[in-house]
Amino acid sequence: MSQFSFETAPKIICEQDGANRLGEIAKGLGISRLFLVTDVGLIKAKLLDGALASLAAAGVAATVFSDVLADPPELSVQAAVEAARAAGADGVVGFGGGSSMDTAKLVALLARTAQALPDIYGIGLARGPRLPLIQVPTTAGTGSEVTPISILTTPNHEKKGVVSPLLYPDVALLDSRLTLGLPPTVTAMTGIDAMVHAIESFTTRLKKNPLSDALAIKALQLLYANLPAAVNDGTDATVRENMLLGSLFAGMAFANAPVGAVHALAYPLGGHYGLPHGLTNSLVFVAVLKFNLAAAEGLYAELGRAILPDQRGAADREAAAAFVAAISARVAAMPYAQRLRDAGVKQDDLPVLARDAMNVQRLLVNNPRDVAYEDALAIYQAAF
Ligand SMILES: [Zn+2]
């Protein structure tokens, strides 16, 4: 018998050009003074134009905050919270990638209920209420539009997370047209991140459940099949929508059945070197899959049978090996650095990274195989 609970955003809208209805959707939530969190690149690419026009048409006043930084530092989130208070915001939109959406979550919370960030790092420590919140992802992706997690960078270069059901948005709005112009490297890094979410959720040790499993499998099928086409020709709207859905399903899965060692070992790389989240995951991904293989053979075999038609009747050992080989090939085909050394990581830093990874017990407890300091160091060395 299964015993589990499952949460997600109460409303998910998937609609081409749906961003052009943002005004109507915001008004439906009772918002009249909206605070929109985004980054300068999206404004320059004119991706906000339709959304802003619809807000004006609906009579919703909008303040655009475009100072979001990648892997948001605490200070930049605090600045956004102050700006939202100064604007008298009664609702928040996150419009962008994971950094904009993670910032928007905390703005919606802290502009309404003041709390010091260091006091709410961890699971379930934040208090509500928060302002109404809409998330509009422009990458596929972090899945942040359906996760209760916001990851920040602390002043001493650690990545810390606020985890609270308060951070689920009221509405997640998926408009694949917003992702048509993403450059191949961003498509590749964010797409691999989403695949990691699906796989780590499916193999998670403590909260694995039938709903997250179904979502993780569907996510991986969509992402595995569509990632090469999305990287090679980003203009196909169907491929882009499949990627956005894959990212969404993976996000719904890992929000309830959390990620493991790939993310735990990726965070120190982001904290120390400022590398993008998707790249840091990709750099340790294959080494972690190989490390986990002995403990996760049956689960990897299930995933292999789900994405590789020629493995449907295969025994566990064979299907699991084929799975690891297939994922490794996908990663190797991505147009960015493949080795830690090529991404600027110093070999002398590996022990520090391994020590920092040991601090991410929040995620390591989910990994299908125990990870000790020596294991983390060996994985970094294998990925170097
Ligand atoms: Zn991730």
Side-chain angles (χ1 to χ4, degrees):
M1 297 296 284
S2 305
Q3 186 172 334
F4 69 96
S5 66
F6 188 94
E7 285 182 286
T8 193
K11 186 163 191 172
I12 295 165
I13 301 172
C14 178
E15 186 178 314
Q16 289 219 343
D17 291 323
N20 297 346
R21 288 206 304 115
L22 185 62
E24 180 191 317
I25 293 164
K27 209 171 176 184
L29 291 173
I31 299 170
S32 60
R33 290 184 310 282
L34 183 73
F35 190 75
L36 192 148
V37 180
T38 189
D39 66 71
V40 184
L42 296 183
I43 295 176
K44 284 188 184 146
K46 302 196 175 300
L47 285 183
L48 280 169
D49 291 4
L52 292 177
S54 83
L55 288 164
V60 177
T63 302
V64 176
F65 179 89
S66 60
D67 293 340
V68 166
L69 299 176
D71 304 293
E74 273 180 15
L75 281 176
S76 90
V77 172
Q78 276 152 359
V81 171
E82 291 308 321
R85 286 207 192 113
D90 61 2
V92 178
V93 169
F95 195 106
S99 299
S100 291
M101 290 192 283
D102 281 12
T103 301
K105 289 173 185 179
L106 292 172
V107 170
L109 179 72
L110 301 178
R112 180 73 176 79
T113 306
Q115 293 152 91
L117 277 170
D119 295 344
I120 59 172
Y121 287 130
I123 299 171
L125 299 177
R127 282 177 291 113
R130 62 153 171 78
L131 295 174
L133 176 63
I134 302 168
Q135 297 282 30
V136 187
T138 61
T139 62
T142 62
S144 179
E145 69 275 14
V146 282
T147 71
I149 308 161
S150 180
I151 304 286
L152 302 189
T153 307
T154 68
N156 47 355
H157 306 292
E158 273 188 289
K159 307 274 271 181
K160 288 206 169 176
V162 178
V163 184
S164 164
L166 290 161
L167 302 186
Y168 285 114
D170 299 287
V171 178
L173 172 60
L174 273 60
D175 176 355
S176 60
R177 286 200 190 273
L178 300 173
T179 68
L180 288 179
L182 277 181
T185 48
V186 177
T187 301
M189 289 176 189
T190 50
I192 290 289
D193 182 34
M195 282 176 58
V196 175
H197 295 156
I199 294 166
E200 294 212 288
S201 175
F202 193 77
T203 59
T204 199
R205 211 191 281 189
L206 301 178
K207 293 188 175 171
K208 187 172 165 64
N209 67 76
L211 255 177
S212 62
D213 281 354
L215 288 160
I217 286 200
K218 184 65 186 168
L220 190 62
Q221 287 172 330
L222 285 166
L223 297 163
Y224 182 79
N226 287 278
L227 182 59
V231 171
N232 294 331
D233 173 16
T235 61
D236 185 318
T238 305
V239 165
R240 288 295 196 179
E241 188 165 288
N242 285 338
M243 290 299 296
L244 212 44
L245 286 173
S247 166
L248 174 86
F249 295 160
M252 293 168 79
F254 91 86
N256 293 277
V259 293
V262 177
H263 276 74
L265 271 70
Y267 283 138
L269 294 169
H272 283 277
Y273 294 99
L275 299 170
H277 174 71
L279 176 62
T280 59
N281 274 295
S282 187
L283 287 166
V284 295
F285 188 11
V286 172
V288 172
L289 286 182
K290 288 178 177 167
F291 172 79
N292 283 343
L293 179 57
E297 188 178 83
L299 297 173
Y300 285 174
E302 280 186 66
L303 293 174
R305 292 186 199 104
I307 60 169
L308 304 169
D310 63 337
Q311 295 298 320
R312 295 244 158 95
D316 276 5
R317 176 156 296 190
E318 190 189 326
F323 169 73
V324 173
I327 298 295
S328 304
R330 273 289 182 277
V331 173
M334 293 297 112
Y336 51 63
Q338 295 288 320
R339 315 283 318 169
L340 289 175
R341 67 165 82 93
D342 300 328
V345 175
K346 307 273 184 298
Q347 192 155 25
D348 289 350
D349 290 350
L350 300 187
V352 175
L353 296 171
R355 188 201 66 201
D356 283 5
M358 286 299 103
N359 291 334
V360 196
Q361 289 299 326
R362 164 177 87 80
L363 301 183
L364 288 176
V365 294
N366 303 315
N367 199 60
R369 183 173 167 191
D370 287 339
V371 182
Y373 168 83
E374 293 73 24
D375 302 318
L377 187 58
I379 290 168
Y380 284 129
Q381 276 160 348
F384 188 75

